[in-house]
Each structure stands twice: as structure tokens, then as C-alpha cells.
Amino acid sequence: MAEKTMWRHMFTLLKLAELGAHRRTAKISTEYLAAKMQTSQQTASRYLIELERKRWITRNITPEGCLIKVTEEGAKELNKLYSKLKLIVEASYPLSITLEGVVFTGLGEGAYYTSNEHYRKQFIEKLGFDPYPGTLNLKLTTDYDIKTRSELEAYPAVEVEGFQMQERSFGPVRCYPAIVQNTVKGAIVTALRSHYDNSVLEVISPVPLRKHLKLKDGHKVKVEVLTLP
Amino acid sequence: MAEKTMWRHMFTLLKLAELGAHRRTAKISTEYLAAKMQTSQQTASRYLIELERKRWITRNITPEGCLIKVTEEGAKELNKLYSKLKLIVEASYPLSITLEGVVFTGLGEGAYYTSNEHYRKQFIEKLGFDPYPGTLNLKLTTDYDIKTRSELEAYPAVEVEGFQMQERSFGPVRCYPAIVQNTVKGAIVTALRSHYDNSVLEVISPVPLRKHLKLKDGHKVKVEVLTLP
DNA sequence: ATTACTACTAAACGAGTAC
DNA sequence: TGTACTCGTTTAGTAGTAA
């Protein structure tokens, strides 16, 4: 999903696969491919050269046309696209939801909870990272964000179990993996405390988010919440 | 699968769906989309305008961004791509195989068989067309084509049953829907007669292929054989 | 903040053609 | 036949900016 040419290449690969070059060698001339792709012979030729460079196909050029086979790597690309589409088409909830909120300073209890060994152990195991002590608090301001956040509650989450410690009881926590400001890995946690209503988002991350993203109170932050494992 | 811009649009639609605009309304600014697509804000804006024109999405432009939802029509496009990929990725044999052969004149028995009511009835029912009397005979000349044709035998075919008529017995026929010269609908039929070996391809079609495609003996013809229903 | 226009630059395309 | 090069043309992409 990297370069810009990716989609032309993906399209070409798909066409070649349709024409029988997936899992077997097919004889496909540049002109034939061009007709199937509704482009010129020259362009089809260029595409094949590019795909060969990318190692998505192997070619054996003969006087009657190219013997083309999609490589393992090429097949992997088709599979990746297929999986992505499968999730989108078959899932009943979106793959990701982006929320935006304004940074504010909380009561400082986040550090206590994220440092708690019972929670921490589960975060590491279930989210794949050791949370930096503390949570980043975001206030959702628009109706859209508040509405969207409440939609989120219905989607499956990573469940972190509660526990009893001495005479205090710690409730269960629902987490969603998330990407903060399109760059930093983290998660949003809900019901960690009951102090805040659902116009507040609490974000944890392996790195200190405020320092790392140079955030101050009042800054706007985008969080892309991922709903599927 | 028509225009050239199709793939840019498909890519954009897929991204929007990933960002949550599938089956729900998502707030996605042109700048955010641009970052996700690794392009400029202006280009993302253009894409959205184009998608809206195509009615693949609906937009509600607000000062904080666009409220975007993929339309029914857009969802249908995603589904189409998904189905196509599903066939390619999950099927154990290719979707189509293209063979090339040289026109030659047979013994003229094809007309007798294709006109036979027992066969004809089944062709109409199972292939969806009433065959023009006669078959187009193609001689496969290259090793590639002969080898590919024999691969074909292993793939599921449309089975036309044999029958007894008076004292003669007519054998079963295996058919594969096909597209002749990239334009004309038809089918290849095997075992209609045992006179020819597997370096010969017999093609039937609702139209008179020789006349329709202005074919003479010795002309090369490409037949795209479809392996799936 | 946004979106999207205009004017320009960069890239892709395809006709002609060599091999 | 084939493929793929050069090169002029067309189209896509972006910077600047208005609304």
C-alpha cells in the first residue's frame, strides 16, 4: 500500500490473474492485455515491465507472446487486497473510526491505573504494549464525535478483566487499539474510571503521548480507533 | 470495469470504506484522506468530487470536514471487486484460459449434431443460447495451446447428456462457455465427435462465426474459455 | 478550519517505429 | 508476428490562494 503506482499495478495483476496467470503460466501478448485493459499495447508493455521489476510476475518472452505467471509475491498482494475487502464487505461494523478531541488535564489518576500490575500485565498481553504511566485525556466537542464514540461501544473490544485488591474493587476495562495523530500506536480505554462521561476519551500508549507529540491543553488530536483484531 | 479513471476511484472508495464510510457516515476531511492516500489535499478533493459525480458516495460539506457515506451503488462496486477477487484467490483453477487456433474446414458433421433436438434443447437450457448449426473448427498449433487445452479437461464443465436415438447412441458432451475473438459469445464443445484429437477445438455460437467474424481457413482465432459458472 | 478553483509542473500515455 | 524504445501530446498532480 505504499507507492502511487500501486493501483495501476494491482489492476494489471488482477487482469493477469483473470486471464489465467494465477497459479499457472499463461500466454498473454501485450496487445491482448491492452485490449482487456482498454489501453494501448505500449502501455500494457510498460505495465508488464513494471510488474516484472516489482517481482509480482515472471515473464518468458517468446515470439508469439509472453508466458506470464504471477509470482508468490504477486499472489500475496492479491490475497492482501482480498482480505481487506473481505473485512470491509463482510464485517457489520467499520474497520476503523476516527475521533477528534481536545487535550485537557485530568485528575492524574490515569498513572495509578496504568501502573497497576494487574491491568498492566493484561495490557501487555492483550494490546501488545506496555503502557506509559498515565492517560491522555481528550474532550470530544462536536456532536459527530460524541455520537460516533457511543456507536463504538457496540463494537467488539479487547476486554481487560477487573479484579479485587485488598478492600478495593477494580472494574473491567474495554480497550480498542488506536493510532494517534496518524503516527503513534496506542489504545483507547473505557470505563477505566467512571469520573468522565462519554464525551471524554482516554488514550494510553507505550510512549508518553504529550511529550512525544508535543501536546498542550487545548490542542486538537485525531485518534483512529481500530475495531477489529 | 469501464473507464480508465475506474481504478483511481476504486482505490479512493476502498480507502473511504476503510476509514468508516461504509454503511455509516464518517467525517473525513480532504486533508485527512490525502494523508491516508499519500497524495495532496487538492487531489483528494478532486477524487471526492469525481466519486460524488459517479454517485459512489454522498457528501455533506461542513466547515470541519466532509460527512461522507458510501452509497448503495458504491457498496455494489466494492462487492463486485470482492467477488472477482474471491474467485481468483479461492478457486483452484483459473477463471479463464485463452487458446489460439487456426481455422480449418471439418467434415460438416457439426451442423448435424448442433441441429439435433436433444442436444440443442440442452444447449439452450445450459449455455443460454441456441447454437447456429455447425461448429467452427480450430487447429491448435503450438505446444502451449495443446498443453493448455488438455489442462482444461480437468476443470468443471457444463455437462450435456447423451442419449439413444433409434439404433444410434449419442455420447455426452462437455461444454465451456467462451468468448471468441474477444467479442462473440459462444462455447467450446468436447467429445461431440471422436474424429479429432485434442489438438482440435470445436466452437459453437448463436451466430454464424465464419460469416460474423469474416473468417477463412488459415485465419488465427483467439478463444477465451471461461471455467466457472 | 475547511473546500476547491486556477495556473503551472510532472507524469503517464500512445503514435511511430526499430528490432 | 511479437516487444519495447523515443518523443510529442495528453492527462494527472500540486502550489498558491479565494471563498
Side-chain angles (χ1 to χ4, degrees):
Chain A
M1 204 58 57
E3 323 95 282
K4 283 202 170 174
T5 50
M6 179 86 172
W7 289 91
R8 228 194 324 288
H9 293 163
M10 206 67 210
F11 173 34
T12 311
L13 192 67
L14 186 63
K15 271 290 167 200
L16 290 173
E18 275 185 68
L19 293 173
H22 189 230
R23 292 191 247 248
R24 62 182 275 284
T25 302
K27 187 162 71 181
I28 301 168
S29 73
T30 52
E31 185 136 20
Y32 188 60
L33 178 62
K36 287 283 171 189
M37 293 183 64
Q38 303 192 97
T39 186
S40 68
Q41 176 270 322
Q42 293 88 337
T43 299
S45 170
R46 229 167 7 90
Y47 287 174
L48 289 178
I49 293 167
E50 289 164 5
L51 284 189
E52 204 177 8
R53 287 233 175 86
K54 266 192 155 176
R55 304 198 182 281
W56 283 9
I57 60 167
T58 52
R59 281 201 302 171
N60 195 339
I61 302 167
T62 75
E64 305 122 31
C66 295
L67 293 172
I68 297 176
K69 187 167 195 268
V70 174
T71 62
E72 278 300 313
E73 212 170 328
K76 212 177 274 177
E77 290 297 325
L78 287 171
N79 269 297
K80 266 166 59 182
L81 181 61
Y82 172 60
S83 308
K84 186 173 285 183
L85 265 166
K86 190 188 179 80
L87 288 177
I88 290 172
V89 169
E90 295 192 344
S92 51
Y93 39 81
L95 292 186
S96 79
I97 278 185
T98 301
L99 294 168
E100 192 175 36
V102 175
V103 176
F104 75 97
T105 301
L107 303 174
E109 291 186 339
Y112 176 72
Y113 288 85
T114 47
S115 303
N116 178 294
E117 275 312 310
H118 291 83
Y119 281 138
R120 203 177 138 225
K121 203 175 151 190
Q122 290 187 73
F123 287 147
I124 295 171
E125 184 194 324
K126 294 177 181 173
L127 291 173
F129 66 81
D130 187 3
Y132 182 86
T135 64
L136 176 72
N137 301 302
L138 298 177
K139 179 79 183 168
L140 304 178
T141 52
T142 70
D143 287 347
Y144 170 81
D145 287 304
I146 293 168
K147 186 173 156 290
T148 304
R149 191 260 163 78
S150 60
E151 272 181 44
L152 197 58
E153 314 268 336
Y155 306 149
V158 175
E159 306 282 352
V160 166
E161 289 156 25
F163 53 91
Q164 288 282 337
M165 198 170 76
Q166 284 131 22
E167 66 275 16
R168 277 197 67 178
S169 119
F170 292 76
V173 178
R174 309 185 80 223
C175 312
Y176 297 89
I179 294 160
V180 188
Q181 295 287 63
N182 221 344
T183 49
V184 187
K185 181 185 168 175
I188 67 164
V189 291
T190 69
L192 190 58
R193 291 172 286 180
S194 52
H195 297 145
Y196 301 130
D197 56 56
N198 67 353
S199 74
V200 170
L201 215 57
E202 291 194 87
V203 188
I204 61 173
S205 168
V207 300
L209 286 170
R210 273 187 184 254
K211 272 187 207 156
H212 197 268
L213 295 170
K214 299 174 177 58
L215 298 173
K216 299 247 180 295
D217 280 10
H219 282 185
K220 280 192 175 183
V221 173
K222 269 203 162 75
V223 181
E224 188 182 354
V225 184
L226 309 173
T227 56
L228 274 176
Chain B
M1 204 58 57
E3 321 95 283
K4 284 203 173 175
T5 50
M6 179 88 172
W7 290 91
R8 229 195 326 286
H9 293 162
M10 206 66 211
F11 173 35
T12 311
L13 192 67
L14 186 62
K15 270 289 166 201
L16 290 172
E18 275 184 69
L19 293 173
H22 190 230
R23 292 191 246 251
R24 61 181 276 284
T25 302
K27 187 162 72 182
I28 301 168
S29 74
T30 52
E31 185 136 19
Y32 188 61
L33 178 62
K36 287 284 171 188
M37 292 182 65
Q38 303 190 97
T39 186
S40 67
Q41 176 270 322
Q42 293 88 338
T43 298
S45 170
R46 221 163 21 81
Y47 286 175
L48 289 178
I49 293 168
E50 288 164 5
L51 284 189
E52 203 177 8
R53 286 233 176 87
K54 266 191 155 175
R55 303 197 184 283
W56 283 10
I57 60 166
T58 52
R59 281 200 301 173
N60 196 340
I61 302 166
T62 75
E64 306 122 30
C66 295
L67 292 172
I68 297 177
K69 188 167 194 273
V70 173
T71 62
E72 279 300 314
E73 211 169 329
K76 211 177 276 179
E77 289 298 325
L78 287 172
N79 268 299
K80 265 166 59 182
L81 182 61
Y82 171 59
S83 309
K84 186 172 288 188
L85 266 166
K86 191 189 180 78
L87 288 177
I88 290 172
V89 169
E90 295 192 345
S92 51
Y93 39 80
L95 292 186
S96 77
I97 278 184
T98 301
L99 293 169
E100 191 175 37
V102 175
V103 176
F104 75 96
T105 301
L107 301 174
E109 291 188 337
Y112 176 71
Y113 288 85
T114 47
S115 304
N116 179 293
E117 276 312 310
H118 291 84
Y119 281 138
R120 202 177 140 226
K121 202 175 154 190
Q122 290 187 73
F123 288 146
I124 295 172
E125 184 194 323
K126 295 176 181 173
L127 292 173
F129 66 81
D130 186 3
Y132 182 85
T135 64
L136 177 72
N137 301 302
L138 299 177
K139 179 78 183 169
L140 305 178
T141 52
T142 69
D143 286 346
Y144 170 81
D145 287 304
I146 293 168
K147 187 173 156 290
T148 304
R149 191 260 164 80
S150 59
E151 271 181 44
L152 197 59
E153 314 268 334
Y155 307 149
V158 174
E159 306 283 352
V160 166
E161 289 157 28
F163 54 91
Q164 288 281 339
M165 199 170 75
Q166 285 133 20
E167 66 275 15
R168 278 197 66 176
S169 120
F170 292 77
V173 178
R174 308 185 80 222
C175 312
Y176 297 90
I179 294 160
V180 187
Q181 296 285 64
N182 221 343
T183 49
V184 186
K185 179 184 169 176
I188 67 164
V189 291
T190 69
L192 190 58
R193 292 173 284 176
S194 51
H195 297 142
Y196 301 130
D197 58 56
N198 67 355
S199 74
V200 169
L201 215 58
E202 291 194 86
V203 188
I204 61 173
S205 168
V207 300
L209 286 171
R210 275 189 182 252
K211 272 187 208 159
H212 197 268
L213 296 170
K214 297 174 177 59
L215 298 173
K216 299 249 180 294
D217 279 10
H219 283 186
K220 281 193 174 181
V221 172
K222 269 202 163 76
V223 181
E224 188 182 355
V225 184
L226 310 173
T227 56
L228 274 176

